[in-house]
Amino acid sequence: METFFEALEQLYKKVLLGATLENDSHDYIFYLYPAFSDQDCSTTTSSDCSNAPDVQDKQEPSSVSLPSFSVAPMCLQRHSQMSSTREIMLLQLTVIKVMIIRILSVETEFHAKEKYRDIIKILLKSSDIESQLTCMFQNSEKLLSHMAAKCLALILYFQLKEKITLSNSWISFCQKNISEYSESNKVVYCLWILTFVIKEIFKDTSSQKTEILKQFLTPFDTLFEAFYKSLLSQHFENHQDASKLINSLICFLELLELLIASRIYLKLHYTCQRILFLKPSCVFDVITWPIQAFVKRKLIIFIKKCLLCKVGEDLCRGSVPTFMPPDNPLDVDLLALASAVLQAVDLGLLRTLSVRGKCSCFGGGEVLAGYEHDPGPDHVILRALSLLIIRSLEIKFQNCSSANEMKVDYQRFMSELLTFLKPHLQPSLQSHNLCEWLSRVFIEQDDDMLEAAKALLGIYLKLTRECEATESLTQEKEMWNHHTHENGYNPHCIFLFLLKNIGFDSTVLLDFLISSETCFLEYFVRYLKLLQKDWDNFLTICNYFDVTESKDTIHICCISSLVQGRNSNSAEASPLAVVGSHTDAHSWVSWASAASSEPLNHGVTLEKAHTKLQANYLSTPGASQSLVDYDSSDDSEEGSTSLCLVNSRLTSSHQEAMKKTQDTFGASGDKKELSPESQSRPLVTEESNTLFSVYCDIAPNNTASEVGISYRTVKCFEELQGAIYRLQKKNLFPYNPTALLKLLKHIETIYNKSMTPS
């Protein structure tokens, strides 16, 4: 036995190095056929191993240049050490596995590859090795069972690549075990092998992968649907060993993801690829089971991937096409799944689902007494559920034409979602701008945040088109604006919160544009097109952001002025910093002085606000840094010049706007005094300081937005333009950015026109 092991070990070393084997291919079969003892097959039925050949009659090859031995260990005697048998079997399976991997590798030398291919083909013809490998699935030795499954999966993939008919014994074994759910380990191994083979097919770079997968799936098409219904209809409480059910569920979800991915990317059409869409309610039933949180998380993320058409993205990266042609049957299925999601929410999914997180424990799974702390919510589930609902609404609205119905549905589901999210967001959402919810929930997940922003933008555009078609948008403009803010989907607010979160850093936007892992390019282009048409509304919202951002500072300045005014009659009054119009000043001061019960007689100047906002901008990380590393000082000088031109243009707009503001108050020596008209009006209104009143009071004007959010936004766009130009000049940008640059340039032109005094 030791001599046999040494010979097998030498063979393994040669194959591992990809060396060419000198002897006849038949001579190596003797060493590769798995060695079984009586105990190995004792846990399997006689029918499972009835096809096992009697290998005791095999003769040892005399011509093989490997150490010889006197007794063949193919059917080991009872008194042999089981540990030695185990080591031999593991090494045999490893040699077969490495040999097939070498055959599939492009790095293997041609003659060596042909020799390995010939050996494996002879092994498959001379014995029913598939049956023998399935016998090991019930082996008590877990490592041996796993190696047998992996070896069998590679053999099946090899047969598909070489166009060899799959073994009937394997097909029968699989059909028998996945026709309905059972707690046998065979089910898990069948699912794992099917998943492994499909993964390998996805990784294949040949043009025949669709045909290969078609050949593989055909015998199992109808079986998957039966197994799906059987598995998901189980009563979790009735299972004594729930771990087997959970293992089967997780394995089947991974297989189901690949089946759906094959429909999207390989354009195959089988019943097994649609079972989730035909019976989606079964999955939501599982979410209500009293199972571990990670299983529920996996289910929710799986459904999210299906709705985003991103199934299989992590498993078959590189196979995902950049453009997906229209697929009407898939659209119908996605609508069915989206409807099931919304129905589950209607039935109270969010009210019954626990999203409590679990403490991370180093070296164990339990927290010691006295060291407990609240782990907070599971933000992965919060993000997945939020995106799930938003995407479902977008899909539903794509197939709806009633503006009123869409507004009612959106308000209902969004109210449910925000009610669900608010207890888990710290600090809590401010009621005056619920649009912040998206950036708060998705702050740690860029790709999901951009998907959610794109979906909300799609909903907004759809509702806008339908409202314009019925002329209700122009008739109820104020109510429409209020609706977008109250339900957290105003596209300008969402984009501005995104920019604030990244510190108005154009390098982050550049990274998003270059990355293939997010949908930022599609979202950004759609938003810029909207921004061109809706510039006045954008400026209004920028003014509102400036108000809320400066609220605390203004309140402190106002209180300080009041104290000084009471202590000294010589205190000078500062002109009120109007934002857009006199009604804007009412709103601004009412926001700032909400905590004060006395009327305010003093304000802050526009120059102070401008100085503060400019300082904030200049202190932004990366604001003054170069976006691209230059190859020479000439390039660096050119980049610096372009940035200086950007600053010069924007600064000139500032100066013109500031001059106009000063002229408004009076440029003479008494310019520090308020005009009689201004003094006669109350500085604090008695109206409600809700978002709606502020939003309606604030109007776009040439004297406001250039000192705050709008200025920083356009400056960020300017820097982004410069970075894209430089990368394009060096042929480093991954696609043609001409259309994007035109949009950015047009936004800059609109901004400059709006800031130029008329």
Side-chain angles (χ1 to χ4, degrees), residues 410-411 414-415 418 434 437 482-489:
Y410 183 85
Q411 188 168 2
M414 201 62 203
S415 175
L418 291 175
L434 295 177
W437 77 269
H482 178 53
H483 184 271
T484 62
H485 288 279
E486 188 181 49
N487 294 283
Y489 71 111

Side-chain angles (χ1 to χ4, degrees), residues 16 226 275 298 463 578 621 681 724:
L16 188 63
I275 53 180
K298 193 172 184 68
L463 282 169
V578 291
R681 297 180 183 178
I724 295 175

Side-chain angles (χ1 to χ4, degrees), residues 208-251:
Q208 302 296 319
K209 64 167 64 178
T210 302
E211 291 302 319
I212 293 174
L213 184 58
K214 186 176 180 180
Q215 177 190 350
F216 184 64
L217 288 180
T218 301
F220 311 111
D221 185 27
T222 57
L223 292 175
F224 290 134
E225 184 176 5
F227 183 78
Y228 174 84
K229 294 178 181 177
S230 174
L231 175 64
L232 300 187
S233 62
Q234 296 293 313
H235 295 285
F236 185 80
E237 301 85 356
N238 298 338
H239 287 264
Q240 294 181 349
D241 187 2
S243 61
K244 291 185 177 180
L245 177 61
I246 292 174
N247 287 339
S248 298
L249 179 61
I250 291 175
C251 288

Side-chain angles (χ1 to χ4, degrees), residues 626 630 633-645 722 726:
S626 176
Y630 299 98
S633 59
D634 294 336
D635 290 339
S636 177
E637 183 180 356
E638 178 184 346
S640 301
T641 303
S642 63
L643 288 177
C644 288
L645 290 174
R726 291 192 292 274

Side-chain angles (χ1 to χ4, degrees), residues 24-180:
D24 184 75
S25 299
H26 290 82
D27 295 338
Y28 297 101
I29 304 302
F30 178 79
Y31 297 96
L32 293 181
Y33 194 84
F36 291 98
S37 67
D38 294 340
Q39 184 175 342
D40 294 324
C41 294
S42 61
T43 57
T44 60
T45 62
S46 58
S47 60
D48 288 336
C49 296
S50 59
N51 295 326
D54 185 3
V55 294
Q56 277 183 314
D57 297 334
K58 287 184 176 287
Q59 298 297 319
E60 176 189 351
S62 58
S63 60
V64 174
S65 57
L66 296 171
S68 61
F69 58 93
S70 57
V71 180
M74 297 305 170
C75 195
L76 299 174
Q77 299 179 9
R78 294 180 183 275
H79 302 292
S80 300
Q81 295 182 358
M82 295 308 299
S83 59
S84 300
T85 304
R86 173 182 175 276
E87 294 299 325
I88 289 176
M89 294 174 69
L90 286 173
L91 187 54
Q92 287 175 320
L93 295 175
T94 303
V95 172
I96 295 173
K97 183 192 75 171
V98 174
M99 194 172 286
I100 295 176
I101 291 174
R102 277 293 179 185
I103 295 171
L104 300 174
S105 173
V106 295
E107 298 178 357
T108 308
E109 194 268 331
F110 175 76
H111 294 290
K113 182 182 293 189
E114 288 299 308
K115 190 72 171 182
Y116 300 157
R117 180 180 286 112
D118 190 40
I119 292 172
I120 295 298
K121 285 184 176 180
I122 294 173
L123 179 64
L124 294 174
K125 289 180 180 178
S126 61
S127 63
D128 189 8
I129 190 173
E130 294 95 333
S131 295
Q132 303 308 311
L133 292 175
T134 56
C135 285
M136 298 186 191
F137 290 170
Q138 289 290 84
N139 195 291
S140 58
E141 176 59 54
K142 298 299 181 183
L143 179 58
L144 191 59
S145 300
H146 175 73
M147 282 298 299
K150 194 165 187 177
C151 191
L152 177 56
L154 281 169
I155 287 175
L156 293 172
Y157 181 60
F158 172 80
Q159 291 174 322
L160 292 169
K161 287 282 290 182
E162 297 294 322
K163 299 182 179 179
I164 300 174
T165 304
L166 295 179
S167 167
N168 288 328
S169 62
W170 154 250
I171 294 176
S172 300
F173 175 83
C174 222
Q175 289 175 337
K176 175 183 176 182
N177 286 282
I178 64 174
S179 58
E180 62 178 358

Side-chain angles (χ1 to χ4, degrees), residues 350-603:
L350 299 182
R351 293 188 293 272
T352 58
L353 185 64
S354 173
V355 293
R356 183 178 176 82
K358 185 177 180 181
C359 295
S360 299
C361 304
F362 179 77
E366 299 296 333
V367 180
L368 295 177
Y371 293 90
E372 300 90 348
H373 68 279
D374 185 8
D378 186 336
H379 290 279
V380 174
I381 294 183
L382 290 182
R383 289 193 293 267
L385 280 172
S386 301
L387 184 52
L388 196 63
I389 294 172
I390 295 301
R391 175 60 178 159
S392 297
L393 286 170
E394 182 190 24
I395 293 173
K396 181 182 179 180
F397 292 169
Q398 288 171 354
N399 298 271
C400 184
S401 58
S402 172
N404 288 332
E405 179 185 344
M406 287 188 285
K407 287 174 69 174
V408 170
D409 283 348
Y410 183 85
Q411 188 168 2
R412 177 161 54 92
F413 286 107
M414 201 62 203
S415 175
E416 186 93 10
L417 177 59
L418 291 175
T419 302
F420 169 73
L421 292 174
K422 282 179 181 178
H424 306 297
L425 297 180
Q426 297 298 330
S428 60
L429 280 175
Q430 298 299 318
S431 59
H432 57 75
N433 199 339
L434 295 177
C435 297
E436 190 182 5
W437 77 269
L438 186 138
S439 58
R440 293 278 300 279
V441 171
F442 294 97
I443 188 67
E444 296 179 0
Q445 194 73 32
D446 294 340
D447 53 346
D448 280 357
M449 177 174 64
L450 294 172
E451 287 287 355
K454 182 167 74 78
L456 289 173
L457 178 59
I459 291 172
Y460 176 87
L461 294 175
K462 174 71 174 179
L463 282 169
T464 302
R465 285 193 297 268
E466 297 301 328
C467 289
E468 287 175 343
T470 59
E471 297 184 356
S472 63
L473 183 62
T474 54
Q475 296 172 2
E476 303 176 4
K477 179 72 174 178
E478 293 180 352
M479 292 303 298
W480 166 255
N481 289 332
H482 178 53
H483 184 271
T484 62
H485 288 279
E486 188 181 49
N487 294 283
Y489 71 111
N490 185 280
H492 302 302
C493 284
I494 290 172
F495 185 75
L496 290 174
F497 276 121
L498 168 63
L499 288 184
K500 287 184 68 176
N501 284 338
I502 64 173
F504 294 87
D505 189 349
S506 58
T507 60
V508 179
L509 298 185
L510 181 64
D511 184 49
F512 284 161
L513 287 172
I514 294 175
S515 173
S516 61
E517 297 179 358
T518 71
C519 62
F520 181 71
L521 174 61
E522 182 183 356
Y523 164 69
F524 193 42
V525 169
R526 294 182 71 184
Y527 176 72
L528 291 177
K529 289 180 178 179
L530 170 66
L531 185 57
Q532 291 179 126
K533 301 176 182 178
D534 202 26
W535 180 255
D536 287 346
N537 196 15
F538 171 75
L539 287 185
T540 301
I541 293 174
C542 285
N543 291 339
Y544 163 72
F545 269 77
D546 293 337
V547 168
T548 55
E549 188 175 277
S550 304
K551 181 172 64 173
D552 294 336
T553 303
I554 294 171
H555 179 63
I556 293 172
C557 292
C558 291
I559 298 300
S560 177
S561 293
L562 283 172
V563 173
Q564 292 176 4
R566 289 170 181 172
N567 293 339
S568 174
N569 293 328
S570 62
E572 296 180 346
S574 300
L576 177 67
V578 291
V579 181
S581 67
H582 191 69
T583 55
D584 301 337
H586 294 174
S587 300
W588 190 344
V589 179
S590 66
W591 276 104
S593 60
S596 175
S597 60
E598 298 183 19
L600 302 180
N601 298 318
H602 300 273

